[in-house]
Amino acid sequence: MNDGGQRRYGPLGRALVIIPTYNEAENIKAIVSRVREAVPDADILIADDNSPDGTGKLADELAAEDGQVHVLHRKGKEGLGAAYLAGFRWGMDHDYGVLVEMDADGSHQPEELPRLLTALKGADLVLGSRWVPGGRIVNWPKSREFLSRGASTYSRLLLGVPIRDVTGGFRAFRRETLEGLGLADVASQGYCFQIDLARRAVAAGFHVVEVPITFVEREHGHSKMSRDIIVEALWRVTAWGIATRAGRQPGRTSN
């Protein structure tokens, strides 16, 4: 991982917080309000996968009331990775310099966004991390903590990625970083999508920084975690690890 020591970073530019949604009607208004208060200069893109609970309609109402809130309506539930990729494309098409990943369910605290953006002034990618000193989780069952820690440890060791929280989804990218990750080749979802982008950033020599966050279990709705997401992450990470150890860097791009 590049230490970024001698690199001079340009200004960040406008920030876009991308919030994928599927059945988040109970959460969307509160999370948008908190983001707007925490980072008033940032815009928000709600990428809704045609939620049957009316999340998309609520998002449209929020956008009608606030010119800094935008909505991307997608045809159906295609997975977290596809939603973020669509959001990245939308953001880059609209000339944003910073693109942020953040969950809709309140597990990522909008009040911590300023720290991520401050750290990005001297980095290519900033990860909100649960597993570095100062990071913590609230109201998670031990089984979820074991799964998350285990997935990050397995990925870090197998892929040789020096990141403590490889699976975390609270992230701030410079536009140039995303342009260097080969996003057209990304097909992974869920946990695996976050691991994929992290390994691509490291392979490309980008300077990646982790800052501690507090991760809070959602209060409303249901987790999107599933057996299929876990299985996909396991086999993809294993395949990438084998390829890396064989001297190939799948998905590697140059900075």
Side-chain angles (χ1 to χ4, degrees):
M1 185 162 54
N2 189 323
D3 65 8
Q6 301 302 315
R7 179 170 173 183
R8 292 186 178 181
Y9 291 92
L12 293 177
R14 294 189 302 150
L16 179 70
V17 180
I18 302 168
I19 305 177
T21 56
Y22 185 78
N23 287 348
E24 296 290 355
E26 293 178 291
N27 297 310
I28 191 62
K29 288 186 177 181
I31 203 68
V32 166
S33 176
R34 290 173 63 189
V35 172
R36 293 288 290 116
E37 185 174 349
V39 283
D41 293 335
D43 287 2
I44 297 171
L45 177 66
I46 301 167
D48 185 65
D49 277 6
N50 196 25
S51 299
D53 73 344
T55 302
K57 182 177 183 295
L58 292 175
D60 284 336
E61 293 172 358
L62 293 170
E65 297 169 358
D66 186 340
Q68 287 178 247
V69 178
H70 310 276
V71 185
L72 178 62
H73 291 283
R74 292 163 42 74
K75 293 181 180 180
K77 188 177 182 183
E78 298 177 357
L80 183 70
Y84 271 130
L85 290 173
F88 291 156
R89 287 192 294 269
W90 191 96
M92 290 189 283
D93 286 345
H94 289 79
D95 298 322
Y96 289 92
V98 175
L99 297 104
V100 178
E101 297 181 5
M102 197 182 77
D103 287 351
D105 60 13
S107 56
H108 299 149
Q109 305 299 291
E111 295 75 20
E112 295 182 315
L113 270 170
R115 287 198 295 112
L116 270 68
L117 296 177
T118 297
L120 193 62
K121 293 178 180 179
D124 298 299
L125 165 61
V126 174
L127 310 180
S129 179
R130 298 158 291 185
W131 313 131
V132 296
R136 67 190 188 104
I137 55 173
V138 177
N139 294 333
W140 246 19
K142 286 296 182 182
S143 58
R144 282 290 303 277
E145 180 178 351
F146 177 80
L147 176 63
S148 183
R149 283 186 181 272
S152 279
T153 300
Y154 181 75
S155 301
R156 183 173 69 251
L157 296 177
L158 195 63
L159 301 177
V161 176
I163 296 172
R164 303 297 299 181
D165 195 347
V166 188
T167 64
F170 195 14
R171 302 180 170 191
F173 296 83
R174 284 181 177 263
R175 175 196 180 99
E176 298 82 3
T177 305
L178 287 172
E179 291 174 337
L181 295 186
L183 296 181
D185 300 327
V186 174
S188 46
Q189 298 294 329
Y191 258 166
C192 200
F193 176 77
Q194 307 298 3
I195 297 167
D196 196 357
L197 294 197
R199 75 181 181 92
R200 287 169 183 259
V202 171
F206 287 118
H207 179 39
V208 182
V209 171
E210 295 186 83
V211 300
I213 62 167
T214 297
F215 184 98
V216 180
E217 175 69 336
R218 65 160 65 229
E219 293 183 1
H220 305 290
H222 302 283
S223 172
K224 308 303 189 296
M225 182 59 63
S226 69
R227 180 179 179 276
D228 288 344
I229 289 173
I230 296 170
V231 170
E232 182 208 13
L234 180 61
W235 77 257
R236 283 192 185 271
V237 169
T238 302
W240 291 332
I242 292 171
T244 299
R245 292 171 184 273
R248 303 189 300 276
Q249 288 286 351
R252 181 168 185 163
T253 61
S254 59
N255 186 345

